[in-house]
Amino acid sequence: MVGAPELRQYAVACERLHSSHATATAVLGDPASRARHRESVERDHQVLVEVVRHRLHGAPAMTEEDVAALVRSAAGRWSRPDVMAALEAAGAVVRQPVPLPQPVQPKRWPTLREHLADLSHMSLWEYLSRTPELRGADTTAAQVEARRQRLRVSRGRAADAERGVLALVRLWAVEPGGLAAALAHELVADLTAAVVCGYTAVRDMAEPQRCAAAGLSSDPEAVAYAVWVARDEASWKEAYFAATVAHRLPDALDVLESRPLSESWARVRDGLRSKVDRL
């Protein structure tokens, strides 16, 4: 439904269009002016392409929310069609991420990380997929026991660490889906940590077999993009909660007003705006 504010905006736009008619006619009717205008438009387009490439940081797409945020932050300089053209020039598209589960941290996870630090493996996935007797996410308690028996006569820090890893793997393996959940938690954490290095680093770490073993998706591109998009949501929520804890309500409101929000977060924003107005 179109209300009074929308009608006023439409009327203002029409007035601006009419007032610019004479200038536009003069520019279009003069070849030199037309060429200068074309060059100006192209320069501005290239600036926007570089802005988009910077925001992509190697990613193949932007979300609808990111496009809207860019248009809003441009304060009228660029429209949505401008951003879409810049995305195409940068070789990217608009795409929404697949739902990304947030696996709960498994029991005694910090202990596992300590044990892995004493082994030559960088992750639980690497250990399970490269160690004899074990079968990745399909490792059973019987296979864990076979490996543990093989280590009975081994001594040293590495052997002790591996026995510790095996004890935890056996703990998770007896739970339905427990081992896959542990691998999912590890994968999401590793991909999130790789975000600082750019999208390519996230994509390279999302190996197809590892994604499938974690039960996330058989499409590593989808997993990588979902993690990449989630990074921004985590950062603005962290900024919002930090501002509210410090009782900096105007700063918290600025965070919420600077981006598109879901219905639930929009209600939080509206309530906070009313509170700030009262204060």
Side-chain angles (χ1 to χ4, degrees):
M1 181 179 294
V2 178
E6 289 78 12
L7 289 175
R8 283 196 297 270
Q9 290 178 357
Y10 177 76
V12 169
C14 288
E15 290 174 3
R16 287 174 179 167
L17 183 62
H18 285 303
S19 65
S20 302
H21 179 73
T23 302
T25 300
V27 170
L28 293 175
D30 178 56
S33 298
R34 194 164 62 243
R36 287 194 298 270
H37 176 69
R38 185 183 299 110
E39 291 173 358
S40 175
V41 171
E42 179 59 26
R43 283 196 302 271
D44 198 52
H45 171 69
Q46 290 304 321
V47 169
L48 179 54
V49 171
E50 290 306 312
V51 169
V52 166
R53 283 185 175 137
H54 175 74
R55 294 204 174 200
L56 288 169
H57 203 160
M62 291 174 63
T63 64
E64 289 284 1
E65 292 78 10
D66 287 337
V67 171
L70 178 53
V71 172
R72 186 172 56 254
S73 65
R77 179 175 180 179
W78 296 308
S79 65
R80 189 178 189 280
D82 293 332
V83 176
M84 297 300 292
L87 272 172
E88 183 178 1
V93 297
V94 173
R95 181 194 305 168
Q96 295 303 107
V98 298
L100 182 68
Q102 296 297 324
V104 178
Q105 179 172 293
K107 302 172 185 176
R108 301 176 60 189
W109 185 256
T111 302
L112 172 78
R113 303 302 302 175
E114 292 177 5
H115 289 323
L116 288 175
D118 292 325
L119 298 175
S120 59
H121 301 290
M122 297 298 295
S123 65
L124 176 62
W125 161 251
E126 184 179 280
Y127 172 76
L128 291 175
S129 59
R130 297 185 181 180
T131 300
E133 291 99 27
L134 305 184
R135 296 295 180 270
D138 298 324
T139 297
T140 65
Q143 291 167 340
V144 170
E145 180 60 22
R147 179 66 183 176
R148 193 185 70 81
Q149 290 296 328
R150 183 175 176 180
L151 290 172
R152 278 196 311 170
V153 297
S154 300
R155 297 292 181 268
R157 188 180 185 89
D160 291 340
E162 186 171 0
R163 280 189 283 266
V165 171
L166 288 170
L168 293 175
V169 171
R170 180 171 54 187
L171 175 68
W172 299 327
V174 296
E175 300 177 0
L179 200 50
L183 291 172
H185 170 77
E186 179 182 61
L187 177 57
V188 172
D190 287 350
L191 294 178
T192 302
V195 161
V196 69
C197 300
Y199 180 82
T200 301
V202 180
R203 173 60 183 82
D204 290 345
M205 187 174 289
E207 302 170 359
Q209 286 184 324
R210 189 177 181 186
C211 291
L216 297 181
S217 172
S218 58
D219 181 3
E221 190 76 56
V223 174
Y225 184 64
V227 171
W228 180 255
V229 171
R231 85 203 186 283
D232 183 55
E233 182 174 355
S235 64
W236 73 259
K237 285 184 178 178
E238 182 179 352
Y240 165 77
F241 286 120
T244 54
V245 168
H247 303 291
R248 293 184 282 105
L249 299 188
D251 292 343
L253 182 59
D254 286 343
V255 172
L256 297 183
E257 289 186 330
S258 67
R259 59 180 302 103
L261 298 171
S262 64
E263 184 177 344
S264 60
W265 275 103
R267 289 195 295 268
V268 173
R269 178 203 58 205
D270 295 343
L272 182 58
R273 184 187 294 138
S274 299
K275 187 173 183 179
V276 170
D277 290 342
R278 289 197 306 272
L279 294 176

